[in-house]
Amino acid sequence: MSKPSRATAADVALAAGVSKWTVTRAFTPGASIAEHSRERVLQEAAKLGYRPNLLARSLTTKTTNLVAILVDDFANSYKLPVLEVLTQALQAEQMAAVLININQHFDHLSAILDADQRQVDAVILVGTDFKDEALKLSTLPASRPPLYVLARESTIAHIPAVSCDARISMAAINQHLWAQGYRRPGFMSGPRSLSTALGRKNHFMAFWQQQAGTTVPELAAGSYDHRAAAQALRAYLQQTPTAERIDVLMCENDALAIGVIETARHEFGLRVPQDLAIVGYDGDELAATPSFNLTSYRQPLQEMVATLIAMLKGRSEARSINLPGELIIRGST
Amino acid sequence: MSKPSRATAADVALAAGVSKWTVTRAFTPGASIAEHSRERVLQEAAKLGYRPNLLARSLTTKTTNLVAILVDDFANSYKLPVLEVLTQALQAEQMAAVLININQHFDHLSAILDADQRQVDAVILVGTDFKDEALKLSTLPASRPPLYVLARESTIAHIPAVSCDARISMAAINQHLWAQGYRRPGFMSGPRSLSTALGRKNHFMAFWQQQAGTTVPELAAGSYDHRAAAQALRAYLQQTPTAERIDVLMCENDALAIGVIETARHEFGLRVPQDLAIVGYDGDELAATPSFNLTSYRQPLQEMVATLIAMLKGRSEARSINLPGELIIRGST
DNA sequence: CATCGTTTTGCAACCGGTAGCAAAGTGCGG
DNA sequence: CCGCACTTTGCTACCGGTTGCAAAACGATG
């Protein structure tokens, strides 16, 4: 009475004078149905405001067109464009994204189990990694939804990842820094994860070791948070005499780089890039503003997302892929 | 064989030597079931990796514990903390959020219909509004999921909104500006929506009209985008002689304010706050950094979200509510 | 040990669709 | 006007749970 319950296929069938199976067919692209009865059905459906219940459909088709997106790092403003591009690309494929917030109350495992119960078609880890939880992965039911990692190299065998090529990008950055005359580089790292073994840090450090025998000091922020970056820089500057300091700091991403610039300038009065040059990674829009004017390596976000979606739609083989991005040179180096 | 299909309640029932209805009861809090058989069932369920299929459950219970979150403004970095707080609060209630990207390919109406087909329990419009689409709302089926508006006043009758109180916040800001000696204020507005009739702009302008008979010029950015803000400021400064310019600019949110600061400083060489003072709105973390050091009005995000969730869980009456925030005075005024 | 109230369990029906097959309808050649 | 192939429609069964009621088991009481 007060809540007019939704019209069902049976209601439409009655109104259109056909069986409910014919109604389903009218809403199934490519189904075998006479043109005149499809029109009749759609007309009645519109009149009754009928739209197929996707829950019921999913129950039999075993596909929900839902993808879970796991995010654990809301302090990093680059997550916003990632979410934007990802949701738009999914929606273009008639899919939708369930955004799951990973934090101390809700870990990766709970999130995957939860997503699994909701029968999502896939789980995408966005710029996050399992760390030591990787081991627990084996406790997951064998029938869990397929996992993918976006914008971070996968540390877990058999889990495909789409990321920006660390080797190529670091080569471009190092070439630029070397050409600019920098000789005392430092590296600021984010969360410690197993992936560092393959990641940006190692490629960066290997270059300087080979090229000049330099051991690059690591400033460990511990997380991709500008406050953590500030803290790590503070610690380094306080315990390092001016003469021995690095002349350029490569930051694992833009969020760190921005924290570093802020702290270097306003807390230590350093000029960027004269006293300390800074390089970021991601290509966050914020870093492009005149205040920061940060040299950064832009990740090919659109292509990465397109590649990932091709995988999960089965249009392309699911395996880890590294794509090249683009070095954007600005005033911070 | 290759894909071990999920265990169902019937499988667990067989293993535990009970009927499938007993299995359901073991997973239903407060159901009538003997303790020993509950344990037996849970034990077998664990062994088989069984977890109830939420799709099937939702089909009969008519509740999905899914909420659609509609976002149309990914350029505004304040959306990230909003999403963080919102998803966390939902997850604490065993709910999950479907993030829907509103853009030129996918408008509000399509999003609501889509969410409706997925049987979401509610739709939350985050800091967005219908504008002229409000009219089309009547074309929605009467049985659509309940709509809520977060962080924006609702322009549509009967749709509850939880927002930051514009009257109180603007009074605090105006009092501060007046006390600081500013007398020639300007106002930068974002998207034109019907809600402006009730919103920040009118409260701001009304004060200056009453207090000093001043008509406040409006700099219309058209959207909450720092580039649009830059453009609007540029247009204003270029056509206004220095002597006639405003001495303080109230921006409808922090994203605009940041664009304004950037442009004023780096493009026009203006000092903030000496040549032009700036006030923002939201309390975005980014605005707190030394580079911007923006005076802003912090929205009570946690409380707003808690209030909204109380409404949609039916714990509190669903009606529009305005909550007070807090003026944070920094160096930009 | 019969009786009665209470807890626990089983069952038929249903939620709203889809798969796959069988029956009915249609058009065309001979 | 019949037979055949092809299109269209209807139907049974099922997806994996939940609802609400009836039957069974339990346990205390007289």
Side-chain angles (χ1 to χ4, degrees):
Chain A
M1 186 62 86
S2 58
K3 275 210 173 183
S5 67
R6 268 180 188 69
T8 73
D11 298 332
V12 177
L14 193 65
V18 295
S19 69
K20 68 166 183 165
W21 298 278
T22 301
V23 174
T24 313
R25 288 191 183 96
F27 283 91
T28 308
S32 161
I33 184 175
E35 190 52 42
H36 67 90
S37 50
R38 147 170 279 135
E39 274 170 25
R40 178 103 183 82
V41 167
L42 291 182
Q43 184 183 325
E44 288 301 326
K47 204 176 295 176
L48 296 175
Y50 168 78
R51 316 197 81 205
N53 180 331
L54 295 186
L55 242 47
R57 171 178 293 173
S58 295
L59 194 56
T60 50
T61 59
K62 308 281 185 198
T63 154
T64 51
N65 287 319
L66 264 189
V67 168
I69 297 183
L70 272 48
V71 174
D72 70 351
D73 173 27
F74 285 86
N76 179 356
S77 71
Y78 185 62
K79 281 281 145 55
L80 210 42
V82 172
L83 289 177
E84 177 177 22
V85 171
L86 197 45
T87 50
Q88 176 157 1
L90 288 169
Q91 285 167 207
E93 302 277 352
Q94 315 299 327
M95 300 193 280
V98 180
L99 178 62
I100 300 186
N101 182 343
I102 304 292
N103 52 51
Q104 63 267 48
H105 307 300
F106 209 72
D107 65 18
H108 288 85
L109 228 54
S110 318
I112 294 176
L113 287 174
D114 191 72
D116 185 38
Q117 277 196 277
R118 295 205 134 88
Q119 316 294 117
V120 299
D121 293 342
V123 172
I124 302 178
L125 294 128
V126 179
T128 175
D129 203 351
F130 275 109
K131 298 174 201 159
D132 34 23
E133 301 196 55
L135 304 173
K136 291 196 219 153
L137 194 64
S138 55
T139 68
L140 281 176
S143 60
R144 62 169 169 68
L147 264 45
Y148 298 89
V149 176
L150 177 64
R152 176 84 66 252
E153 297 181 28
S154 171
T155 59
I156 308 173
H158 308 306
I159 298 192
V162 178
S163 59
C164 188
D165 193 299
R167 196 178 52 78
I168 293 178
S169 54
M170 284 302 156
I173 291 169
N174 281 323
Q175 188 184 339
H176 165 65
L177 295 181
W178 185 266
Q180 293 285 310
Y182 295 107
R183 290 298 180 270
R184 299 195 311 284
F187 188 91
M188 180 171 282
S189 58
R192 290 201 175 285
S193 89
L194 302 174
S195 72
T196 51
L198 307 164
R200 297 168 196 169
K201 186 176 82 175
N202 287 23
H203 285 290
F204 185 80
M205 293 188 169
F207 171 87
W208 293 95
Q209 189 69 52
Q210 286 194 337
Q211 185 82 5
T214 313
T215 298
V216 175
E218 176 177 357
L219 284 66
S223 71
Y224 291 134
D225 182 325
H226 62 93
R227 274 178 302 247
Q231 184 53 43
L233 180 68
R234 212 172 279 136
Y236 172 78
L237 291 178
Q238 281 166 358
Q239 67 188 217
T240 312
T242 312
E244 297 172 19
R245 286 182 186 164
I246 55 177
D247 58 1
V248 60
L249 182 60
M250 169 73 220
C251 300
E252 210 169 282
N253 76 6
D254 287 347
L256 294 176
I258 284 171
V260 165
I261 291 182
E262 289 284 339
T263 308
R265 271 192 194 143
H266 297 98
E267 208 168 301
F268 292 90
L270 299 177
R271 294 164 304 159
V272 175
Q274 296 90 335
D275 300 324
L276 179 63
I278 315 279
V279 183
Y281 200 107
D282 277 350
D284 191 351
E285 275 228 358
L286 178 60
T289 57
S291 290
F292 300 112
N293 202 16
L294 179 70
T295 291
S296 183
Y297 195 87
R298 192 184 65 77
Q299 300 204 47
L301 194 47
Q302 298 279 357
E303 294 88 331
M304 285 163 58
V305 166
T307 303
L308 183 63
I309 288 188
M311 282 184 194
L312 60 83
K313 292 288 274 189
R315 287 195 300 261
S316 136
E317 191 194 351
R319 57 187 186 82
S320 288
I321 290 185
N322 291 312
L323 298 172
E326 180 193 4
L327 178 61
I328 300 178
I329 298 170
R330 297 205 187 87
S332 71
T333 56
Chain B
M1 186 64 85
S2 58
K3 274 208 175 185
S5 67
R6 267 181 190 69
T8 73
D11 298 331
V12 177
L14 193 64
V18 295
S19 67
K20 68 167 183 166
W21 296 277
T22 302
V23 173
T24 313
R25 288 190 184 99
F27 283 92
T28 309
S32 162
I33 184 176
E35 191 49 42
H36 68 89
S37 51
R38 148 169 281 135
E39 273 169 26
R40 179 102 183 82
V41 168
L42 292 183
Q43 184 184 325
E44 287 301 327
K47 205 176 294 178
L48 296 175
Y50 168 79
R51 314 197 83 206
N53 180 331
L54 294 185
L55 243 49
R57 171 178 292 174
S58 294
L59 193 56
T60 49
T61 59
K62 307 282 186 198
T63 153
T64 51
N65 287 320
L66 264 189
V67 168
I69 297 183
L70 272 50
V71 174
D72 69 351
D73 174 26
F74 285 86
N76 178 358
S77 70
Y78 185 62
K79 281 282 146 53
L80 209 43
V82 172
L83 288 177
E84 177 177 22
V85 171
L86 198 44
T87 50
Q88 176 157 3
L90 288 169
Q91 284 166 206
E93 302 277 351
Q94 315 297 330
M95 300 193 279
V98 179
L99 179 61
I100 300 186
N101 183 344
I102 303 292
N103 51 50
Q104 64 265 47
H105 307 299
F106 208 72
D107 65 18
H108 288 85
L109 228 53
S110 318
I112 294 176
L113 287 175
D114 192 72
D116 186 38
Q117 277 196 277
R118 293 205 136 88
Q119 315 295 116
V120 300
D121 293 342
V123 173
I124 302 178
L125 294 129
V126 178
T128 173
D129 205 350
F130 276 108
K131 298 173 200 156
D132 34 25
E133 301 195 56
L135 304 172
K136 291 195 218 153
L137 193 63
S138 54
T139 68
L140 282 175
S143 61
R144 61 167 169 69
L147 265 46
Y148 298 89
V149 175
L150 177 64
R152 178 82 67 252
E153 296 181 26
S154 171
T155 59
I156 309 171
H158 309 306
I159 297 193
V162 178
S163 59
C164 188
D165 192 300
R167 195 177 52 77
I168 293 177
S169 55
M170 284 303 156
I173 291 169
N174 281 323
Q175 187 185 338
H176 165 65
L177 295 181
W178 184 265
Q180 293 286 309
Y182 296 107
R183 291 296 181 270
R184 299 196 311 283
F187 188 92
M188 179 171 283
S189 59
R192 290 201 174 284
S193 88
L194 303 173
S195 73
T196 50
L198 308 163
R200 297 168 196 169
K201 185 176 83 174
N202 286 23
H203 284 289
F204 185 79
M205 293 188 169
F207 171 88
W208 294 94
Q209 190 68 52
Q210 285 194 338
Q211 186 81 5
T214 314
T215 297
V216 175
E218 176 177 356
L219 284 67
S223 71
Y224 291 133
D225 182 325
H226 62 94
R227 275 179 301 248
Q231 184 52 43
L233 180 68
R234 212 172 279 137
Y236 171 79
L237 291 178
Q238 281 166 356
Q239 68 188 218
T240 312
T242 311
E244 296 172 18
R245 285 181 186 165
I246 55 177
D247 58 1
V248 60
L249 181 59
M250 169 74 220
C251 300
E252 211 169 283
N253 75 6
D254 287 346
L256 294 177
I258 284 170
V260 165
I261 291 181
E262 288 285 338
T263 307
R265 272 193 193 142
H266 298 98
E267 207 167 303
F268 292 90
L270 299 177
R271 291 165 306 159
V272 176
Q274 296 88 337
D275 299 324
L276 178 62
I278 314 280
V279 183
Y281 200 108
D282 276 351
D284 192 349
E285 274 228 357
L286 178 60
T289 58
S291 290
F292 301 112
N293 202 15
L294 179 69
T295 292
S296 183
Y297 196 87
R298 193 185 64 79
Q299 299 204 48
L301 195 47
Q302 298 280 357
E303 295 87 329
M304 283 163 60
V305 166
T307 303
L308 183 63
I309 288 188
M311 281 183 193
L312 61 81
K313 292 287 275 189
R315 287 195 300 260
S316 134
E317 191 195 351
R319 59 187 184 80
S320 288
I321 290 185
N322 291 313
L323 297 172
E326 180 192 5
L327 178 62
I328 300 178
I329 298 171
R330 297 203 187 88
S332 72
T333 54

